[in-house]
């Protein structure tokens, strides 16, 4: 991944961070230009090979975050944002950003849980749902009520994850 691709993504990520903190949403006016610009610029700078790398990166980011979205971990804006990141940076870098973001997100989540003193209740809930699922008693136990989910702007983990992935390279 070229340094120019990293720096080109940062303004979009900054805008996504601000809107995610403010409204817990990442609007299409951020994600779609990120995706389209990544495809066009990669195609123009690196020809057909760059365009194919861009398509593969967009697909990787989209599919990885789509799985997380279907599990209820992230919103649809995050899915589209990672497709855009992949369009600029390629599949491998997008995979690295995803891993770092999930790890940082887990740390943020635990900090929130410990600061709210919800640890015991959450751990009991996880054990209860897991035991019910493993005993094949009720698969609906794994589905959580929306008010039971721990929510925070995922961009708080994505921006540091993006920077960590870049620094790792």
């Amino acid at each position: 991944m070229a340094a120019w691709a990293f720096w080109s993504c940062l303004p979009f990520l900054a805008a996504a961070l601000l809107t995610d903190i403010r409204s817990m949403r990442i609007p299409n006016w951020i994600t779609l230009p990120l995706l389209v610009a990544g495809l066009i610029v990669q195609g123009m700078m690196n020809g057909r090979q760059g365009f194919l790398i861009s398509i593969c990166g967009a697909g990787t980011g989209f599919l990885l975050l789509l799985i997380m979205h279907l599990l209820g971990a992230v919103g649809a804006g995050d899915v589209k944002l990672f497709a855009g990141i992949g369009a600029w940076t390629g599949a491998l870098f997008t995979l690295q950003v995803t891993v770092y973001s999930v790890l940082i997100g887990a740390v943020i989540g635990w900090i929130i849980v410990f600061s709210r003193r919800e640890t015991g209740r959450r751990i009991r809930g996880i054990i209860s749902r897991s035991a019910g699922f493993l005993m094949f008693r009720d698969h609906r136990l794994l589905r959580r009520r929306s008010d039971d989910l721990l929510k925070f702007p995922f961009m708080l983990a994505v921006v540091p994850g993006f920077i960590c992935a870049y620094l790792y390279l």
Side-chain angles (χ1 to χ4, degrees):
M1 194 239 358
W4 59 266
F6 170 82
W7 292 106
S8 298
C9 281
L10 278 182
F12 292 99
L13 293 179
L17 175 64
L18 292 174
T19 60
D20 201 17
I21 288 172
R22 207 172 321 144
S23 64
M24 292 285 290
R25 296 186 71 230
I26 302 172
N28 289 339
W29 62 264
I30 295 172
T31 59
L32 294 180
L34 176 66
L35 174 64
V36 172
L39 293 170
I40 291 171
V41 171
Q42 284 289 2
M44 287 174 46
M45 294 193 71
N46 300 313
R48 185 172 54 172
Q49 181 182 5
F51 185 73
L52 291 175
I53 289 171
S54 184
I55 290 285
C56 289
T60 300
F62 182 82
L63 289 175
L64 288 172
L65 270 287
L66 180 62
I67 292 167
M68 292 173 60
H69 175 68
L70 294 174
L71 294 172
V74 298
D78 297 307
V79 176
K80 294 177 277 186
L81 183 83
F82 269 76
I85 291 171
W88 280 96
T89 62
L92 180 59
F93 187 81
T94 304
L95 178 62
Q96 291 172 331
V97 172
T98 304
V99 170
Y100 282 121
S101 298
V102 167
L103 292 174
I104 293 168
V107 170
I108 291 170
W110 280 110
I111 290 170
I112 292 170
V113 166
F114 285 130
S115 69
R116 291 183 183 171
R117 305 189 195 286
E118 299 175 5
T119 311
R121 180 180 65 84
R122 287 202 180 266
I123 290 174
R124 284 190 300 276
I126 290 169
I127 291 170
S128 171
R129 284 189 297 276
S130 300
F133 177 74
L134 293 174
M135 293 179 184
F136 300 107
R137 292 211 172 132
D138 190 358
H139 296 288
R140 291 174 294 158
L141 288 173
L142 287 178
R143 293 192 181 147
R144 298 179 184 173
R145 296 184 325 264
S146 64
D147 60 336
D148 190 35
L149 294 174
L150 177 65
K151 295 181 181 179
F152 65 90
F154 188 52
M155 288 303 298
L156 291 174
V158 172
V159 171
F162 187 78
I163 293 168
C164 286
Y166 180 72
L167 294 176
Y168 179 74
L169 292 176

